[in-house]
Amino acid sequence: MILDIINKKRIGKALTYQEMDEIFNGYLEDKVPDYQMSALLMAICINGMTDQEIFDLTRIFIESGDVLDFSDIPGIKVDKHSTGGIGDKTTLVIVPIVAACGGCVVKMSGRGLGYTGGTIDKLESIPGYRVDLSDDEILRQVHKIGLVVTGQTSDLVPMDKAIYALRDVTSTVSSIPLIASSIMSKKIASGADKIIIDIKVGNGALIQTKADAKKLSELMIKIGEFYDREVRTIISDMNTPLGKTIGNSLEVLEAIDVLRGVEKNNSFVDLCVELATNMVSMSLGIPMKEANKKVLESIQNQSAYHKFEEMVKAQKGDLSKIKVSNHTMFIKSPVKGTIEKINALEFGKLSLRLGAGKENIDDKIDYTVGIKLNKLVGDKVKKGDILATIYYKKKVPEISFDNIYKIS
Ligand code: URA
């Protein structure tokens, strides 16, 4: 009985595979109502799950939909996941780098969630770029050029979609076991052999503390071991926006600058190099030092940028048509000092209100708007210096300087 299952978890006992199968699949088949599923999710949030329960739940998630098989493609397929952040355009940089180094990447990316932008929205700011490749098209492209970044076309892990939507409105998103099964089920179902996960920590991220990030990391590595997938994790800061831009076209242009070696020596570039080095090391089975050398060379000799161009062309995008709004206004420093903080969450909210993301499900994204940071944390500024440029179309929302910046 469903009530007995909920009660068992409420008093802190572990559920069996059969019990979880009954309630989760019952929910997907509309036999279990939202209120009972919500009660179970809250009991999981409060009482946690054993490792065995997490492995079982991950299996129930994976088996709820299609599982992709890329075993026809020679070589080790590596995938990357980020738990999401403001200005996170790492996929656009690292996938071409890994392919330029001889690795093989099939990346199914998602759209924005909350204040965080999605890679698919960013790529759609390149006019013509197709994010709806069929499984056959994906296979052909990856055979030919070694990389694909597309949206999810097959019905992968429908259980996660349903449960995530319910978690979102029942304050049960932050459960570490639920996050781990959600992410790992999608990565395993999308056919990767090896996976790197960038766990973001800070006010602009789902995970707020380093301790929680460590727990999530350990859990995802364990799930990977159980399912015979090598998983590596990186824990990275999300108190400050990533890189210099937030907003779709602006982020694509910044990614291009990194790939061409124009943009270097900042924490965003360092993170991209670290992620790409891990992926190349896993994909080619080589030591990190050797992989790092290849990654840096691929930027210096422009082969990574050429891979990006190849991918955009293969997916029918036209980089020459990418547009940024020509309406700009500036945030200027009211004081002299050093920038101590730039609040990621507040910039995420601002970019959403400018139209770079969706506030309501039916909103249309404006790819041309966003924010460019002219100064970064640690920079010294004078009174009147431009700290950020806002690219807008509609009215610019009210900005509370003190909420966004700390200068002292
Ligand atoms: N990202 C996911 O894919 N799932 C979660 O539960 C949280 C972040």
Side-chain angles (χ1 to χ4, degrees):
M1 268 236 313
I2 297 297
L3 274 185
D4 294 333
I5 299 174
I6 299 171
N7 193 44
K8 192 171 172 191
K9 193 76 239 177
R10 184 183 66 80
I11 59 174
K13 290 199 172 153
L15 300 180
T16 63
Y17 176 85
Q18 285 72 20
E19 286 164 336
M20 281 197 288
D21 185 49
E22 185 180 339
I23 189 161
F24 278 93
N25 274 308
Y27 181 67
L28 203 59
E29 289 157 15
D30 276 337
K31 290 183 198 144
V32 172
D34 281 352
Y35 54 83
Q36 286 186 322
M37 196 54 178
S38 306
L40 179 75
L41 292 172
M42 188 54 83
I44 290 176
C45 253
I46 293 167
N47 291 326
M49 292 177 110
T50 63
D51 286 355
Q52 190 57 49
E53 280 180 295
I54 296 167
F55 301 152
D56 289 344
L57 184 62
T58 306
R59 174 140 72 100
I60 292 167
F61 270 43
I62 295 169
E63 289 176 354
S64 70
D66 297 338
V67 176
L68 301 182
D69 180 2
F70 293 121
S71 52
D72 277 359
I73 303 169
I76 290 168
K77 273 69 65 186
V78 282
D79 198 355
K80 167 253 171 191
H81 185 85
S82 158
T83 56
I86 316 291
D88 187 350
K89 67 226 51 120
T90 46
T91 292
L92 304 180
V93 177
I94 63 183
V95 171
I97 292 179
V98 176
C101 293
C104 183
V105 198
V106 180
K107 178 91 187 79
M108 311 257 175
S109 287
R111 296 195 180 274
L113 200 66
Y115 302 120
T116 64
T119 302
I120 287 303
D121 299 327
K122 295 172 211 228
L123 283 167
E124 276 188 338
S125 74
I126 305 170
Y129 190 98
R130 284 190 55 208
V131 296
D132 59 349
L133 300 191
S134 66
D135 293 351
D136 270 357
E137 286 174 312
I138 293 173
L139 278 176
R140 255 182 279 133
Q141 182 168 320
V142 95
H143 263 299
K144 209 166 152 204
I145 60 174
L147 77 169
V148 171
V149 183
T150 183
Q152 194 177 294
T153 44
S154 315
D155 197 15
L156 299 184
V157 200
M159 179 91 74
D160 181 62
K161 263 184 224 132
I163 297 291
Y164 196 94
L166 192 60
R167 286 168 58 206
D168 209 16
V169 291
T170 54
S171 196
T172 52
V173 170
S174 61
S175 152
I176 303 225
L178 292 177
I179 297 175
S181 329
S182 161
I183 294 175
M184 288 304 296
S185 59
K186 285 178 285 196
K187 293 291 109 182
I188 294 168
S190 49
D193 301 309
K194 302 194 176 197
I195 303 150
I196 178 119
I197 299 172
D198 181 11
I199 304 175
K200 301 276 181 215
V201 192
N203 73 7
L206 192 56
I207 309 288
Q208 303 278 315
T209 66
K210 272 228 167 106
D212 277 352
K214 272 190 145 174
K215 273 191 220 155
L216 181 60
S217 159
E218 282 162 13
L219 206 44
M220 290 195 290
I221 290 170
K222 266 195 209 165
I223 299 175
E225 275 164 8
F226 188 82
Y227 285 94
D228 204 16
R229 304 290 197 284
E230 184 185 347
V231 174
R232 295 188 192 177
T233 60
I234 285 176
I235 296 176
S236 64
D237 174 72
M238 193 25 77
N239 285 303
T240 305
L242 197 53
K244 291 187 174 168
T245 58
I246 306 157
N248 300 289
S249 301
L250 286 166
E251 290 190 45
V252 172
L253 295 174
E254 184 181 1
I256 290 173
D257 281 347
V258 175
L259 286 168
R260 299 178 81 178
V262 174
E263 191 64 66
K264 45 191 164 196
N265 304 329
N266 67 43
S267 54
F268 170 58
V269 178
D270 293 345
L271 177 64
C272 289
V273 169
E274 190 181 356
L275 286 164
T277 299
N278 272 284
M279 288 173 81
V280 170
S281 151
M282 288 197 285
S283 184
L284 305 184
I286 57 175
M288 288 288 283
K289 204 168 164 198
E290 198 182 323
N292 184 255
K293 190 164 167 264
K294 278 180 174 286
V295 165
L296 297 177
E297 271 169 14
S298 78
I299 298 173
Q300 274 149 17
N301 65 21
Q302 306 264 313
S303 59
Y305 177 61
H306 291 136
K307 269 289 164 203
F308 179 75
E309 282 186 315
E310 246 184 293
M311 175 180 82
V312 171
K313 197 165 162 223
Q315 293 184 226
K316 307 281 180 258
D318 185 347
L319 283 172
S320 69
K321 294 206 170 122
I322 195 160
K323 279 207 186 93
V324 173
S325 174
N326 47 19
H327 300 284
T328 52
M329 66 160 264
F330 304 113
I331 300 180
K332 293 186 179 174
S333 179
V335 289
K336 178 178 176 221
T338 304
I339 302 182
E340 282 201 0
K341 271 192 191 155
I342 303 177
N343 188 312
L345 179 61
E346 291 303 321
F347 263 135
K349 289 182 189 170
L350 176 60
S351 120
L352 191 69
R353 293 201 191 105
L354 288 168
K358 291 186 182 191
E359 282 191 83
N360 297 303
I361 210 152
D362 298 327
D363 288 351
K364 230 175 151 256
I365 292 179
D366 186 338
Y367 297 112
T368 68
V369 300
I371 302 140
K372 184 172 197 169
L373 304 181
N374 298 82
K375 302 279 182 197
L376 301 177
V377 170
D379 284 351
K380 290 197 182 347
V381 294
K382 296 191 295 296
K383 187 174 173 188
D385 275 358
I386 295 173
L387 302 179
T389 308
I390 316 256
Y391 295 80
Y392 68 97
K393 278 267 186 66
K394 310 184 275 199
K395 223 175 112 209
V396 179
E398 197 133 314
I399 297 166
S400 159
F401 185 87
D402 291 339
N403 278 348
I404 302 185
Y405 283 98
K406 185 166 175 217
I407 300 179
S408 43

